[in-house]
Amino acid sequence: GESVGLHLPTLSVQEGDNSIINCAYSNSASDYFIWYKQESGKGPQFIIDIRSNMDKRQGQRVTVLLNKTVKHLSLQIAATQPGDSAVYFCAEQFGNQFYFGTGTSLTVIP
Amino acid sequence: DAEITQSPRHKITETGRQVTLACHQTWNHNNMFWYRQDLGHGLRLIHYSYGVQDTNKGEVSDGYSVSRSNTEDLPLTLESAASSQTSVYFCASSEGLNYGYTFGSGTRLTVV
């Protein structure tokens, strides 16, 4: 099956700083990508998506960058807040299914 | 507001028992999915359905079954629970291909 990996399992940032979470995906034919946020005891929550014909997409305080050359996806969170503390994972769509990474745990230090 | 709900939130069962986890969505989505989440593995697909009477096996379907008799519900049944099936189970639904999934809050299942 497909594998989606994250470079770092944990990330700690100071409140107010920017956070960058990275993801490597394995299939160059994957055409749609999503970042999810999962808080403790809750289900994954959609944050932002990007299609393969784009290299950047911005939302509210979040930006996703897609580098198809090296099969790399990143999530940037601006002015990180305590409420951003969670596990973040990426998902790639290949064919008619999504494949999910194991996640990066983000801790925001007040 | 539309939602996707799972029940129960927590369940403890004995090895060998049959267990059914419920998933109900009011989004009117045709696509529904069941995943399990274990440390170090991420979300792994168990079964999925693209519409009423349609069911398909996922990556880790052994020991599980689903049925889709209406649009709203996709119950997941563990035929004979095993300790290896102790996990957190998530149901999800989506509008279709190239749309993100909406997840339920999960069911934590412990098999003793």
Side-chain angles (χ1 to χ4, degrees):
Chain A
E2 295 299 305
S3 64
V4 179
L6 293 169
H7 294 308
L8 295 172
T10 62
L11 178 66
S12 295
V13 298
Q14 289 290 141
E15 181 178 357
D17 287 352
N18 296 335
S19 302
I20 299 176
I21 301 171
N22 296 304
C23 174
Y25 64 94
S26 58
N27 198 303
S28 57
S30 293
D31 54 8
Y32 179 47
F33 305 86
I34 299 177
W35 278 102
Y36 285 94
K37 172 186 181 182
Q38 187 175 20
E39 296 175 273
S40 181
K42 296 184 179 180
Q45 178 184 8
F46 175 98
I47 302 174
I48 191 168
D49 60 355
I50 189 167
R51 303 193 187 279
S52 59
N53 61 351
M54 304 171 68
D55 53 21
K56 180 179 180 179
R57 189 154 190 243
Q58 289 184 289
Q60 187 177 13
R61 283 201 306 119
V62 294
T63 300
V64 55
L65 299 177
L66 175 62
N67 185 331
K68 294 181 287 293
T69 302
V70 295
K71 293 184 287 186
H72 184 267
L73 195 68
S74 69
L75 175 70
Q76 300 178 0
I77 305 174
T80 312
Q81 303 168 358
D84 294 328
S85 292
V87 173
Y88 292 82
F89 54 88
C90 64
E92 63 174 312
Q93 179 178 274
F94 175 66
N96 60 357
Q97 290 193 16
F98 277 100
Y99 299 87
F100 296 86
T102 54
T104 291
S105 178
L106 174 65
T107 300
V108 181
I109 304 166
Chain B
D1 288 347
E3 59 182 1
I4 179 167
T5 56
Q6 293 184 235
S7 61
R9 288 299 313 272
H10 302 273
K11 174 78 175 177
I12 300 175
T13 191
E14 295 178 341
T15 301
R17 288 193 180 270
Q18 184 181 81
V19 177
T20 297
L21 310 183
C23 176
H24 180 80
Q25 54 97 3
T26 57
W27 290 98
N28 199 34
H29 287 164
N30 283 323
N31 298 353
M32 295 185 72
F33 309 85
W34 273 104
Y35 287 88
R36 59 178 290 175
Q37 187 177 45
D38 305 287
L39 199 62
H41 285 279
L43 290 164
R44 290 185 291 174
L45 183 62
I46 304 171
H47 281 285
Y48 59 101
S49 168
Y50 289 147
V52 176
Q53 302 301 330
D54 176 73
T55 62
N56 305 279
K57 294 181 178 181
E59 176 189 359
V60 291
S61 61
D62 286 350
Y64 304 93
S65 64
V66 293
S67 60
R68 188 88 181 271
S69 58
N70 57 52
T71 300
E72 296 80 18
D73 299 288
L74 187 70
L76 176 71
T77 297
L78 286 67
E79 304 294 343
S80 177
S83 58
S84 60
Q85 294 176 308
T86 292
S87 186
V88 180
Y89 291 85
F90 287 101
C91 179
S93 70
S94 81
E95 194 170 339
L97 194 64
N98 294 330
Y99 288 90
Y101 293 176
T102 301
F103 284 88
S105 297
T107 294
R108 181 174 294 276
L109 177 69
T110 302
V111 182
V112 297

